[in-house]
Amino acid sequence: MKKVLIATDKPFAPVAVSQIREIVENAGYELALLEKYTQKSELLEAVASASAMIIRSDIVDNEVLDAAKQLKIVVRAGAGYDNIDLAAATAHGVVAMNTPGQNSNAVAELAIGMMVYLARNGYNGTSGSELLGKKIGIHAYGNVGRRVGAIAKGFGMEVYAFDPFVNKADVEAEGVKVVDTAEELYSTCNYVSLHIPANDKTKKSINFDLLNKMPKGGVLVNTARKEVICEEGILKLMEARPDFKYISDCAPDCAPVFAEKYAGRYFFTPKKMGAQTSEANVNAGLAAARQIVDFFATGNAKYQVNK
Ligand code: 3PG
C-alpha cells in the first residue's frame, strides 16, 4: 500500500489533517504524520517508506531525497517552493508541485493586519495613523499581491503595482495603477507590500538604494521571504531614516539589532505565520492531497514546478 507522509514542522490545523486523511484513505493509501520534528534524522526516517509527501516550509534537499527511496511526488502545500531542491528532485525522478493560490487570503489578511498594528503603535494607547488615502505598492501582483490590493482598496488606499509578468491592461481594469519599474513603485508609495519569490535573482534584491526611495514615513511589509531583503541595507536605512518602518512575517537574522535600537519601528512574527489559519491549512492541505491522488491515478502534473 502506498504511503503518503505529511511532514510539517509547523503542523496543519487538526481539521485539515483529518480531511487530508479522508482523501488519502478513500484513495486506498495509508497516511503517516510527522509533525513538529526537531531533528532532520526524524524526517529522514519518516520519508524512507513514503511514496508521496506533503510539506510546508520543510526543507527537502538532496539528503532527504536520497533517504526517500520510494518517493514519487512531493507537494508543497503553499505557494513558495524555495525549500525544495528542484534539481535534486528531478535527479531523483521525484515530481515537485505547489498549490498556488490556496493560502493567499490568509497571507494577505496578515499583511494588512500587521500594517494596522504598526500604524496604531502596537495598540499602546498613543496616537497613530490611518491607512485611508495612503498609497500601497504591491511588489509582484500574483495571488497574494492581488488579494492584498483588494483588501487595501476596502481601506480606501490607492493601490499601485509593479510586476513585469502581468498584463498591464488587465491589472489596471481592477483599479490598480501599474508602474513600469520597482524604483517608481518605491518612490511613489507610503507602504510597499512584498510578494516576490526567493530565488537567485531576487535574494537580497530589496536593498538600501531601493528602500531609500520611499517617501517619508515609508513602511516595508514583507510576507514573502526574509532572504529577499538585503539585511545590511535595511539596517543602514533604519539608522539613516528614523521615519522608516519594517514589518516582516518571520524575523530577519538581524532581529536582535532591531530589538536593541529600533523599538516601535518594526514588527516581526516569531514564526512564519501568514498561512497559519485553519482555512488556509484546509485549502492548501486538501489541494495537496488531491493533487497526489490525481497524480497517481492519472499522471496529472499540472502544478509541477521542476519541469
Ligand atoms: C507559502 O509560500 O505558501 C507561505 O509562505 C506559507 O508558508 P507555510 O506553509 O510555511 O506557512
Side-chain angles (χ1 to χ4, degrees), residues 32-279:
L33 195 57
L34 176 69
E35 292 181 325
K36 290 188 188 169
Y37 53 94
T38 52
Q39 306 298 322
K40 192 175 186 182
S41 56
E42 297 172 65
L43 178 60
L44 297 179
E45 200 186 317
V47 294
S49 55
S51 299
M53 178 160 49
I54 298 174
I55 55 163
R56 295 184 64 180
S57 291
D58 307 80
I59 306 290
V60 173
D61 59 13
N62 199 56
E63 194 184 1
V64 173
L65 290 157
D66 269 348
K69 299 278 182 243
Q70 322 283 326
L71 196 69
K72 299 282 178 290
I73 175 170
V74 53
V75 183
R76 192 279 189 248
Y81 44 86
D82 47 306
N83 49 320
I84 305 176
D85 183 335
L86 296 183
T90 305
H92 284 78
V94 172
V95 168
M97 295 187 188
N98 67 347
T99 65
Q102 299 290 346
N103 58 19
S104 307
N105 183 64
V107 179
E109 285 190 14
L110 183 78
I112 300 282
M114 292 194 299
M115 284 164 54
V116 174
Y117 177 80
L118 203 72
R120 294 303 184 95
N121 303 327
Y123 309 128
N124 69 0
T126 63
S127 187
S129 64
E130 300 180 23
L131 302 186
L132 177 73
K134 305 292 191 308
K135 294 177 175 151
I136 181 168
I138 311 290
H139 191 164
Y141 198 73
N143 291 312
V144 183
R146 171 175 277 107
R147 194 67 204 126
V148 169
I151 301 171
K153 268 185 248 163
F155 274 79
M157 299 185 85
E158 268 182 68
V159 183
Y160 290 73
F162 168 65
D163 189 333
F165 302 105
V166 296
N167 180 294
K168 193 170 177 172
D170 289 350
V171 176
E172 295 210 319
E174 294 174 26
V176 173
K177 296 177 187 88
V178 177
V179 298
D180 295 325
T181 62
E183 286 70 19
E184 196 181 340
L185 190 81
Y186 284 72
S187 53
T188 306
C189 296
N190 311 98
Y191 287 83
V192 169
S193 189
L194 268 178
H195 303 291
I196 54 176
N199 56 39
D200 289 346
K201 280 197 184 131
T202 61
K203 281 181 186 165
K204 292 183 185 273
S205 65
I206 309 303
N207 56 28
F208 177 85
D209 288 344
L210 189 59
L211 293 171
N212 197 28
K213 297 198 181 311
M214 291 189 75
K216 197 168 186 313
V219 181
L220 178 70
V221 186
N222 181 10
T223 52
R225 292 289 183 270
K226 66 177 183 177
E227 290 80 5
V228 301
I229 306 293
C230 169
E231 294 203 4
E232 302 75 33
I234 205 162
L235 284 178
K236 187 173 157 196
L237 192 79
M238 291 296 291
E239 198 57 35
R241 295 256 315 254
D243 60 289
F244 183 83
K245 293 179 177 164
Y246 181 40
I247 296 169
S248 179
D249 181 17
C250 201
D253 296 339
C254 61
V257 183
F258 276 81
E260 190 192 319
K261 298 171 83 173
Y262 307 123
R265 293 174 51 204
Y266 73 94
F267 175 74
F268 305 141
T269 55
K271 195 162 197 168
K272 187 148 72 81
M273 55 171 291
Q276 255 325 39
T277 67
S278 56
E279 292 91 336

